[in-house]
Amino acid sequence: MSIEKQIVYPDTSIRAVMAAIDQAPTKLCILVDSEGKLARTVVDGDLRRALLAGISLDDPASKLPSQDVVSCPAETAQDTLVNTFSANPSINAVVLTDESNFPVGLIPRGEVLPGILLSPPHMGESESAYVRKAFDDNWIAPAGPNLNAFEEALKSASGRSHTLALSSGTAALHLALRVLGVGAGHPVYVSDLTFAATVQPILYQNARPVLIDSEPRSWNISPAALERRLKMDAALGCLPKALIVVHLYGQSADMGAILTLTERYGVPVIEDAAESLGASYGNRPSGAHGLLSAYSFNGNKIITTSGGGALVSDRADLIERARMLSTQGRDPAEHYQHSHIAYNYRMSNVLAGIGLGQLELLQDRVSRRREIFEVYRAGLKDIPGISFQGEVADSQGNRWLTVVSFDPNLISRHPYQLLRELRSKGIESRPAWKPMHMQPICEKCSFEPHSRDDVVSSRLFLQSLCLPSGSTLGDDQQQHIIACVRDFTRG
Ligand SMILES: *Cc1c(COP(=O)(O)O)cnc(C)c1O
C-alpha cells in the first residue's frame, strides 16, 4: 500500500492532519520529523485529546506530544507481525521502516490478524470425530446415527420429550406454523423486535403478522401490549391462530405473564428460541414452555452445526406431523404417493455430528458468554447513559450477545459512530435487530405498541449496539473493546 498520502510533516496543520486521517484507509497518519524519519503515528483520538489540551486546529503537527510508536523493519516476517499486534492490542496498524528509520509501509491489523468477530463458531475436540464417523460409515445423508443421537441429546438440552432436527431454525418455525394449521389470511401474533427469520415463515403461509412491541426491561414481547391486543381482537372475533414469542439475544421473555394470557384466550404459543438455547426460565430450559419451540444452529449462534435448526415439543403428534412434512410428505405406502404439500427440511447426518460435539459444550459456552456479559457490565456500568438488556424474574439468559444501549440524552454520539470506530480497528459490532414494523416486508402489518405513547422496539433499535460476545473472545481483546467504548462515550 502506498503511504505517501498518510505522511504528515512537522509544519502540517492539525486541521490538515485531521483531513488526512479522514481520507486514509487505516484512519491513521504517520508524522515524520524534519529529516523525514518516523516520529509517531496520529489517530483521531490523539487529535481530540490534543485539542482538549489546548492545541488549536491551526497549530503545526510538531506541537503534538511525542509518543512511542510501534514499528517494524520492512522485511519483518508474518509471525513477528502477528506477535506485535497481539502484544499491542490498542494499535490498528504497524509502520514499516527502512534501516534509517524512514517510513516505507503500513500494515493494518486486519491484514495480519483476523479481526474480532461478533459471534464466531467455537469448535471443541469431538465434533470432527463425529463427522469422521459419518464418513467412515458412509452416512452422508439426511438420516443416520448422528442424527438420531443428536435428536436424543436435544431432548435433555430442551427439556422436551420430542425433537426433530432440521436444516434451519427458519424451517423449524415454518413447520410449527404448518402443524398448527396456519394458512392464508390467518392472524399470527409475533414479537416486533426480532430477526426477520421469525416473521418470514408467517409470510410464506400468506398469513398476517400482527407485530407486538417489546417491554423495556427484557426487550422481549410486552405483556401489556399483548393483553391489550388480545382483548381487542377477542371482542372483534379475530383472535390469532398462534403467537410466536422470541427470546431476544438469549434472554427469556416473561413466559409466566404471556402463558397466563394465551391460555385465557386459547392461543397456542410457538417459542422462537433460536437465540436462547441453554438459557432457562422457571428452572426449565428456555424453549420448554410453549406448545412448540424452534432452535437454530446457524454459524453465529451459541452452538452451531454450520447451518441447522430443530423443532421440539412435548406433543408427539405435532412432531411426527412435522417430521412427515420435513421429508416431502410421503404417505405411508410403498409407492411414492403424496397428499400434502411438504418440504425437504431435514438436517444432514454429517452436520448432526457437529451438533453432537457442540451440545456437549453447551453449558461451558453459556457460562463463558455470561462471564463476557458481566465483564462488559462491570467495565461500563459507571458511565451515565449506558444500559443493558435485563432478565425477567426467575430466568437466566445465555447472553448470546451482549447488547449495549446508549441514552442519547446523556451520550451525544450515535452508536453507529462507535460501530465505524470499532470497524476501523478490525472489531465487528452490529446494530440491534431492526424492528419488523419498520421493515418493507411488513409494510401492511398491524403493530401494537407497548403503551399508547411509547414504542419501545424502535427506540432500542436506534440506541443499541451488539458487541463481540463469542466464547473465543480473549480477555485482553475484551478489555480493548471496553476501552474503545469508554473512549467513544467521552468523545
Ligand atoms: C437465527 C435466528 C432464526 C433463524 O435461524 P436460521 O437457522 O438461521 O434459519 C430465527 N429467529 C431468530 C430470532 C434468530 O436469531
Side-chain angles (χ1 to χ4, degrees), residues 46-88:
D46 297 324
L47 297 183
R48 239 184 7 249
R49 278 183 290 275
L51 292 170
L52 286 172
I55 291 179
S56 91
L57 282 172
D58 296 315
D59 280 332
S62 56
K63 280 217 166 177
L64 290 168
S66 67
Q67 180 209 49
D68 288 337
V69 47
V70 182
S71 67
C72 289
E75 54 291 327
T76 302
Q78 182 80 2
D79 53 347
T80 309
L81 288 171
V82 169
N83 293 338
T84 306
F85 279 114
S86 304
N88 298 282

mmCIF file of all heavy atoms in Angstrom, residues 46-88:
data_model
loop_
_atom_site.group_PDB
_atom_site.id
_atom_site.type_symbol
_atom_site.label_atom_id
_atom_site.label_comp_id
_atom_site.label_asym_id
_atom_site.label_seq_id
_atom_site.Cartn_x
_atom_site.Cartn_y
_atom_site.Cartn_z
ATOM 1 N N ASP A 46 -6.001 10.979 19.161
ATOM 2 C CA ASP A 46 -4.850 11.810 19.545
ATOM 3 C C ASP A 46 -5.169 13.282 19.308
ATOM 4 O O ASP A 46 -4.832 14.147 20.121
ATOM 5 C CB ASP A 46 -3.618 11.437 18.709
ATOM 6 C CG ASP A 46 -3.180 9.996 18.955
ATOM 7 O OD1 ASP A 46 -3.288 9.538 20.107
ATOM 8 O OD2 ASP A 46 -2.742 9.342 17.988
ATOM 9 N N LEU A 47 -5.815 13.555 18.174
ATOM 10 C CA LEU A 47 -6.141 14.947 17.850
ATOM 11 C C LEU A 47 -7.174 15.498 18.821
ATOM 12 O O LEU A 47 -7.077 16.637 19.282
ATOM 13 C CB LEU A 47 -6.661 15.056 16.411
ATOM 14 C CG LEU A 47 -5.667 14.670 15.318
ATOM 15 C CD1 LEU A 47 -6.281 14.894 13.946
ATOM 16 C CD2 LEU A 47 -4.375 15.467 15.456
ATOM 17 N N ARG A 48 -8.149 14.644 19.129
ATOM 18 C CA ARG A 48 -9.185 15.089 20.073
ATOM 19 C C ARG A 48 -8.563 15.448 21.419
ATOM 20 O O ARG A 48 -8.856 16.485 22.003
ATOM 21 C CB ARG A 48 -10.231 13.992 20.229
ATOM 22 C CG ARG A 48 -11.593 14.479 19.845
ATOM 23 C CD ARG A 48 -12.714 13.504 20.042
ATOM 24 N NE ARG A 48 -12.365 12.291 20.727
ATOM 25 C CZ ARG A 48 -12.325 11.089 20.167
ATOM 26 N NH1 ARG A 48 -12.614 10.944 18.933
ATOM 27 N NH2 ARG A 48 -12.001 10.024 20.855
ATOM 28 N N ARG A 49 -7.686 14.577 21.882
ATOM 29 C CA ARG A 49 -7.038 14.842 23.173
ATOM 30 C C ARG A 49 -6.191 16.110 23.101
ATOM 31 O O ARG A 49 -6.177 16.922 24.028
ATOM 32 C CB ARG A 49 -6.194 13.640 23.602
ATOM 33 C CG ARG A 49 -7.033 12.549 24.282
ATOM 34 C CD ARG A 49 -6.164 11.398 24.763
ATOM 35 N NE ARG A 49 -5.628 10.610 23.647
ATOM 36 C CZ ARG A 49 -6.307 9.609 23.076
ATOM 37 N NH1 ARG A 49 -7.501 9.272 23.512
ATOM 38 N NH2 ARG A 49 -5.782 8.951 22.068
ATOM 39 N N ALA A 50 -5.489 16.294 21.975
ATOM 40 C CA ALA A 50 -4.637 17.478 21.826
ATOM 41 C C ALA A 50 -5.478 18.754 21.841
ATOM 42 O O ALA A 50 -5.124 19.753 22.481
ATOM 43 C CB ALA A 50 -3.843 17.378 20.524
ATOM 44 N N LEU A 51 -6.627 18.696 21.146
ATOM 45 C CA LEU A 51 -7.490 19.884 21.110
ATOM 46 C C LEU A 51 -8.029 20.199 22.500
ATOM 47 O O LEU A 51 -8.082 21.359 22.912
ATOM 48 C CB LEU A 51 -8.643 19.670 20.117
ATOM 49 C CG LEU A 51 -8.206 19.597 18.643
ATOM 50 C CD1 LEU A 51 -9.365 19.145 17.752
ATOM 51 C CD2 LEU A 51 -7.664 20.931 18.152
ATOM 52 N N LEU A 52 -8.381 19.153 23.229
ATOM 53 C CA LEU A 52 -8.866 19.361 24.598
ATOM 54 C C LEU A 52 -7.764 19.957 25.471
ATOM 55 O O LEU A 52 -8.027 20.720 26.397
ATOM 56 C CB LEU A 52 -9.360 18.034 25.203
ATOM 57 C CG LEU A 52 -10.703 17.542 24.664
ATOM 58 C CD1 LEU A 52 -11.015 16.139 25.184
ATOM 59 C CD2 LEU A 52 -11.828 18.500 25.064
ATOM 60 N N ALA A 53 -6.509 19.590 25.156
ATOM 61 C CA ALA A 53 -5.383 20.092 25.943
ATOM 62 C C ALA A 53 -4.974 21.504 25.525
ATOM 63 O O ALA A 53 -3.982 22.044 26.029
ATOM 64 C CB ALA A 53 -4.201 19.139 25.812
ATOM 65 N N GLY A 54 -5.698 22.083 24.572
ATOM 66 C CA GLY A 54 -5.468 23.487 24.254
ATOM 67 C C GLY A 54 -4.759 23.750 22.934
ATOM 68 O O GLY A 54 -4.562 24.895 22.547
ATOM 69 N N ILE A 55 -4.349 22.702 22.227
ATOM 70 C CA ILE A 55 -3.728 22.899 20.911
ATOM 71 C C ILE A 55 -4.832 23.303 19.928
ATOM 72 O O ILE A 55 -5.960 22.812 20.028
ATOM 73 C CB ILE A 55 -3.010 21.598 20.461
ATOM 74 C CG1 ILE A 55 -1.797 21.377 21.375
ATOM 75 C CG2 ILE A 55 -2.597 21.659 18.996
ATOM 76 C CD1 ILE A 55 -1.003 20.121 21.071
ATOM 77 N N SER A 56 -4.514 24.204 19.000
ATOM 78 C CA SER A 56 -5.581 24.663 18.101
ATOM 79 C C SER A 56 -5.438 24.020 16.726
ATOM 80 O O SER A 56 -4.384 23.469 16.374
ATOM 81 C CB SER A 56 -5.560 26.188 17.995
ATOM 82 O OG SER A 56 -4.740 26.552 16.904
ATOM 83 N N LEU A 57 -6.490 24.126 15.937
ATOM 84 C CA LEU A 57 -6.521 23.484 14.623
ATOM 85 C C LEU A 57 -5.455 24.057 13.687
ATOM 86 O O LEU A 57 -5.018 23.380 12.757
ATOM 87 C CB LEU A 57 -7.902 23.673 13.986
ATOM 88 C CG LEU A 57 -9.013 22.761 14.512
ATOM 89 C CD1 LEU A 57 -10.361 23.185 13.937
ATOM 90 C CD2 LEU A 57 -8.726 21.302 14.169
ATOM 91 N N ASP A 58 -5.042 25.295 13.931
ATOM 92 C CA ASP A 58 -4.046 25.900 13.046
ATOM 93 C C ASP A 58 -2.619 25.686 13.516
ATOM 94 O O ASP A 58 -1.672 26.044 12.817
ATOM 95 C CB ASP A 58 -4.343 27.394 12.892
ATOM 96 C CG ASP A 58 -5.690 27.601 12.205
ATOM 97 O OD1 ASP A 58 -5.930 26.899 11.194
ATOM 98 O OD2 ASP A 58 -6.494 28.397 12.703
ATOM 99 N N ASP A 59 -2.466 25.067 14.686
ATOM 100 C CA ASP A 59 -1.114 24.750 15.159
ATOM 101 C C ASP A 59 -0.466 23.698 14.266
ATOM 102 O O ASP A 59 -1.165 22.888 13.642
ATOM 103 C CB ASP A 59 -1.170 24.227 16.594
ATOM 104 C CG ASP A 59 -1.291 25.368 17.604
ATOM 105 O OD1 ASP A 59 -0.815 26.471 17.288
ATOM 106 O OD2 ASP A 59 -1.881 25.155 18.680
ATOM 107 N N PRO A 60 0.862 23.685 14.209
ATOM 108 C CA PRO A 60 1.539 22.649 13.420
ATOM 109 C C PRO A 60 1.563 21.311 14.158
ATOM 110 O O PRO A 60 1.492 21.277 15.390
ATOM 111 C CB PRO A 60 2.961 23.197 13.279
ATOM 112 C CG PRO A 60 3.150 24.067 14.472
ATOM 113 C CD PRO A 60 1.799 24.642 14.825
ATOM 114 N N ALA A 61 1.682 20.245 13.396
ATOM 115 C CA ALA A 61 1.684 18.900 13.971
ATOM 116 C C ALA A 61 2.848 18.690 14.934
ATOM 117 O O ALA A 61 2.793 17.823 15.801
ATOM 118 C CB ALA A 61 1.737 17.860 12.851
ATOM 119 N N SER A 62 3.900 19.485 14.793
ATOM 120 C CA SER A 62 5.045 19.330 15.704
ATOM 121 C C SER A 62 4.647 19.608 17.152
ATOM 122 O O SER A 62 5.354 19.234 18.074
ATOM 123 C CB SER A 62 6.168 20.281 15.292
ATOM 124 O OG SER A 62 5.683 21.610 15.262
ATOM 125 N N LYS A 63 3.504 20.267 17.341
ATOM 126 C CA LYS A 63 3.038 20.540 18.709
ATOM 127 C C LYS A 63 2.443 19.307 19.394
ATOM 128 O O LYS A 63 2.209 19.306 20.602
ATOM 129 C CB LYS A 63 1.983 21.656 18.690
ATOM 130 C CG LYS A 63 2.556 23.041 18.594
ATOM 131 C CD LYS A 63 1.719 24.001 19.451
ATOM 132 C CE LYS A 63 2.448 25.325 19.662
ATOM 133 N NZ LYS A 63 1.583 26.261 20.421
ATOM 134 N N LEU A 64 2.166 18.266 18.618
ATOM 135 C CA LEU A 64 1.616 17.046 19.233
ATOM 136 C C LEU A 64 2.663 16.441 20.157
ATOM 137 O O LEU A 64 3.852 16.444 19.844
ATOM 138 C CB LEU A 64 1.230 16.020 18.150
ATOM 139 C CG LEU A 64 0.018 16.381 17.293
ATOM 140 C CD1 LEU A 64 -0.074 15.434 16.085
ATOM 141 C CD2 LEU A 64 -1.262 16.307 18.126
ATOM 142 N N PRO A 65 2.241 15.923 21.315
ATOM 143 C CA PRO A 65 3.222 15.342 22.231
ATOM 144 C C PRO A 65 3.921 14.151 21.570
ATOM 145 O O PRO A 65 3.332 13.481 20.724
ATOM 146 C CB PRO A 65 2.377 14.892 23.422
ATOM 147 C CG PRO A 65 0.974 14.815 22.925
ATOM 148 C CD PRO A 65 0.858 15.802 21.814
ATOM 149 N N SER A 66 5.163 13.902 21.952
ATOM 150 C CA SER A 66 5.842 12.731 21.374
ATOM 151 C C SER A 66 5.247 11.470 21.992
ATOM 152 O O SER A 66 4.609 11.515 23.042
ATOM 153 C CB SER A 66 7.345 12.818 21.613
ATOM 154 O OG SER A 66 7.583 12.704 22.996
ATOM 155 N N GLN A 67 5.481 10.365 21.318
ATOM 156 C CA GLN A 67 4.750 9.148 21.676
ATOM 157 C C GLN A 67 5.571 7.954 21.204
ATOM 158 O O GLN A 67 6.232 8.041 20.158
ATOM 159 C CB GLN A 67 3.400 9.201 20.943
ATOM 160 C CG GLN A 67 2.488 8.047 21.167
ATOM 161 C CD GLN A 67 1.592 7.822 19.956
ATOM 162 O OE1 GLN A 67 2.071 7.764 18.823
ATOM 163 N NE2 GLN A 67 0.311 7.697 20.194
ATOM 164 N N ASP A 68 5.536 6.877 21.972
ATOM 165 C CA ASP A 68 6.177 5.649 21.495
ATOM 166 C C ASP A 68 5.415 5.168 20.267
ATOM 167 O O ASP A 68 4.194 5.213 20.246
ATOM 168 C CB ASP A 68 6.094 4.552 22.566
ATOM 169 C CG ASP A 68 7.029 4.869 23.719
ATOM 170 O OD1 ASP A 68 7.994 5.626 23.495
ATOM 171 O OD2 ASP A 68 6.778 4.377 24.832
ATOM 172 N N VAL A 69 6.145 4.718 19.282
ATOM 173 C CA VAL A 69 5.456 4.230 18.094
ATOM 174 C C VAL A 69 5.913 2.802 17.817
ATOM 175 O O VAL A 69 7.079 2.465 17.991
ATOM 176 C CB VAL A 69 5.683 5.187 16.890
ATOM 177 C CG1 VAL A 69 7.127 5.558 16.753
ATOM 178 C CG2 VAL A 69 5.175 4.573 15.597
ATOM 179 N N VAL A 70 4.933 1.969 17.437
ATOM 180 C CA VAL A 70 5.251 0.574 17.149
ATOM 181 C C VAL A 70 5.607 0.469 15.667
ATOM 182 O O VAL A 70 4.776 0.729 14.804
ATOM 183 C CB VAL A 70 4.052 -0.334 17.482
ATOM 184 C CG1 VAL A 70 4.403 -1.789 17.232
ATOM 185 C CG2 VAL A 70 3.613 -0.127 18.927
ATOM 186 N N SER A 71 6.868 0.129 15.398
ATOM 187 C CA SER A 71 7.280 -0.038 14.006
ATOM 188 C C SER A 71 8.082 -1.321 13.870
ATOM 189 O O SER A 71 8.574 -1.866 14.850
ATOM 190 C CB SER A 71 8.118 1.158 13.562
ATOM 191 O OG SER A 71 9.345 1.162 14.265
ATOM 192 N N CYS A 72 8.198 -1.782 12.640
ATOM 193 C CA CYS A 72 8.961 -2.996 12.354
ATOM 194 C C CYS A 72 9.786 -2.746 11.092
ATOM 195 O O CYS A 72 9.372 -1.962 10.228
ATOM 196 C CB CYS A 72 8.025 -4.173 12.080
ATOM 197 S SG CYS A 72 7.163 -4.776 13.529
ATOM 198 N N PRO A 73 10.909 -3.420 10.960
ATOM 199 C CA PRO A 73 11.675 -3.334 9.716
ATOM 200 C C PRO A 73 10.830 -3.841 8.535
ATOM 201 O O PRO A 73 9.981 -4.718 8.712
ATOM 202 C CB PRO A 73 12.867 -4.257 9.944
ATOM 203 C CG PRO A 73 12.933 -4.478 11.417
ATOM 204 C CD PRO A 73 11.555 -4.289 11.959
ATOM 205 N N ALA A 74 11.095 -3.272 7.369
ATOM 206 C CA ALA A 74 10.261 -3.548 6.204
ATOM 207 C C ALA A 74 10.121 -5.035 5.883
ATOM 208 O O ALA A 74 9.062 -5.467 5.434
ATOM 209 C CB ALA A 74 10.819 -2.814 4.988
ATOM 210 N N GLU A 75 11.185 -5.821 6.140
ATOM 211 C CA GLU A 75 11.086 -7.237 5.738
ATOM 212 C C GLU A 75 10.703 -8.165 6.903
ATOM 213 O O GLU A 75 11.028 -9.342 6.908
ATOM 214 C CB GLU A 75 12.377 -7.709 5.051
ATOM 215 C CG GLU A 75 13.680 -7.495 5.796
ATOM 216 C CD GLU A 75 14.050 -6.006 5.890
ATOM 217 O OE1 GLU A 75 13.731 -5.232 4.953
ATOM 218 O OE2 GLU A 75 14.624 -5.620 6.915
ATOM 219 N N THR A 76 9.944 -7.637 7.876
ATOM 220 C CA THR A 76 9.549 -8.440 9.043
ATOM 221 C C THR A 76 8.657 -9.619 8.638
ATOM 222 O O THR A 76 7.742 -9.470 7.825
ATOM 223 C CB THR A 76 8.793 -7.559 10.060
ATOM 224 O OG1 THR A 76 9.652 -6.488 10.434
ATOM 225 C CG2 THR A 76 8.394 -8.337 11.294
ATOM 226 N N ALA A 77 8.922 -10.779 9.253
ATOM 227 C CA ALA A 77 8.144 -11.980 8.941
ATOM 228 C C ALA A 77 6.732 -11.872 9.520
ATOM 229 O O ALA A 77 6.496 -11.199 10.527
ATOM 230 C CB ALA A 77 8.843 -13.207 9.528
ATOM 231 N N GLN A 78 5.823 -12.567 8.848
ATOM 232 C CA GLN A 78 4.402 -12.533 9.215
ATOM 233 C C GLN A 78 4.163 -12.876 10.691
ATOM 234 O O GLN A 78 3.421 -12.185 11.383
ATOM 235 C CB GLN A 78 3.647 -13.527 8.304
ATOM 236 C CG GLN A 78 2.151 -13.582 8.514
ATOM 237 C CD GLN A 78 1.444 -12.423 7.817
ATOM 238 O OE1 GLN A 78 2.087 -11.595 7.147
ATOM 239 N NE2 GLN A 78 0.150 -12.339 7.980
ATOM 240 N N ASP A 79 4.837 -13.931 11.195
ATOM 241 C CA ASP A 79 4.526 -14.335 12.575
ATOM 242 C C ASP A 79 5.033 -13.309 13.595
ATOM 243 O O ASP A 79 4.451 -13.139 14.657
ATOM 244 C CB ASP A 79 5.021 -15.762 12.883
ATOM 245 C CG ASP A 79 6.482 -15.956 12.552
ATOM 246 O OD1 ASP A 79 7.049 -15.077 11.856
ATOM 247 O OD2 ASP A 79 7.062 -16.971 12.969
ATOM 248 N N THR A 80 6.081 -12.581 13.239
ATOM 249 C CA THR A 80 6.535 -11.499 14.125
ATOM 250 C C THR A 80 5.496 -10.370 14.144
ATOM 251 O O THR A 80 5.216 -9.791 15.202
ATOM 252 C CB THR A 80 7.898 -10.949 13.636
ATOM 253 O OG1 THR A 80 8.780 -12.049 13.465
ATOM 254 C CG2 THR A 80 8.484 -9.969 14.634
ATOM 255 N N LEU A 81 4.922 -10.103 12.986
ATOM 256 C CA LEU A 81 3.866 -9.080 12.921
ATOM 257 C C LEU A 81 2.661 -9.503 13.766
ATOM 258 O O LEU A 81 2.084 -8.690 14.497
ATOM 259 C CB LEU A 81 3.432 -8.853 11.463
ATOM 260 C CG LEU A 81 4.439 -8.109 10.575
ATOM 261 C CD1 LEU A 81 3.978 -8.142 9.122
ATOM 262 C CD2 LEU A 81 4.618 -6.668 11.038
ATOM 263 N N VAL A 82 2.308 -10.770 13.660
ATOM 264 C CA VAL A 82 1.184 -11.287 14.461
ATOM 265 C C VAL A 82 1.456 -11.041 15.940
ATOM 266 O O VAL A 82 0.606 -10.526 16.677
ATOM 267 C CB VAL A 82 0.962 -12.798 14.190
ATOM 268 C CG1 VAL A 82 -0.008 -13.393 15.213
ATOM 269 C CG2 VAL A 82 0.446 -13.016 12.773
ATOM 270 N N ASN A 83 2.690 -11.373 16.377
ATOM 271 C CA ASN A 83 3.037 -11.179 17.790
ATOM 272 C C ASN A 83 3.016 -9.706 18.179
ATOM 273 O O ASN A 83 2.622 -9.356 19.287
ATOM 274 C CB ASN A 83 4.416 -11.770 18.080
ATOM 275 C CG ASN A 83 4.404 -13.282 17.949
ATOM 276 O OD1 ASN A 83 3.343 -13.907 18.041
ATOM 277 N ND2 ASN A 83 5.575 -13.881 17.719
ATOM 278 N N THR A 84 3.446 -8.865 17.256
ATOM 279 C CA THR A 84 3.464 -7.429 17.543
ATOM 280 C C THR A 84 2.045 -6.901 17.784
ATOM 281 O O THR A 84 1.798 -6.172 18.741
ATOM 282 C CB THR A 84 4.111 -6.670 16.372
ATOM 283 O OG1 THR A 84 5.394 -7.246 16.122
ATOM 284 C CG2 THR A 84 4.268 -5.196 16.686
ATOM 285 N N PHE A 85 1.117 -7.316 16.931
ATOM 286 C CA PHE A 85 -0.275 -6.877 17.132
ATOM 287 C C PHE A 85 -0.855 -7.459 18.413
ATOM 288 O O PHE A 85 -1.573 -6.768 19.144
ATOM 289 C CB PHE A 85 -1.142 -7.261 15.925
ATOM 290 C CG PHE A 85 -1.020 -6.296 14.775
ATOM 291 C CD1 PHE A 85 -0.452 -6.686 13.574
ATOM 292 C CD2 PHE A 85 -1.488 -4.993 14.906
ATOM 293 C CE1 PHE A 85 -0.345 -5.793 12.514
ATOM 294 C CE2 PHE A 85 -1.390 -4.091 13.846
ATOM 295 C CZ PHE A 85 -0.809 -4.495 12.649
ATOM 296 N N SER A 86 -0.545 -8.716 18.697
ATOM 297 C CA SER A 86 -1.098 -9.331 19.905
ATOM 298 C C SER A 86 -0.583 -8.624 21.148
ATOM 299 O O SER A 86 -1.304 -8.444 22.121
ATOM 300 C CB SER A 86 -0.730 -10.809 19.976
ATOM 301 O OG SER A 86 -1.169 -11.446 18.822
ATOM 302 N N ALA A 87 0.697 -8.218 21.108
ATOM 303 C CA ALA A 87 1.291 -7.565 22.279
ATOM 304 C C ALA A 87 0.814 -6.122 22.431
ATOM 305 O O ALA A 87 0.978 -5.520 23.494
ATOM 306 C CB ALA A 87 2.812 -7.602 22.161
ATOM 307 N N ASN A 88 0.226 -5.572 21.369
ATOM 308 C CA ASN A 88 -0.227 -4.168 21.406
ATOM 309 C C ASN A 88 -1.688 -4.080 20.965
ATOM 310 O O ASN A 88 -1.974 -3.621 19.860
ATOM 311 C CB ASN A 88 0.637 -3.303 20.472
ATOM 312 C CG ASN A 88 2.092 -3.280 20.898
ATOM 313 O OD1 ASN A 88 2.456 -2.578 21.826
ATOM 314 N ND2 ASN A 88 2.919 -4.077 20.222
#
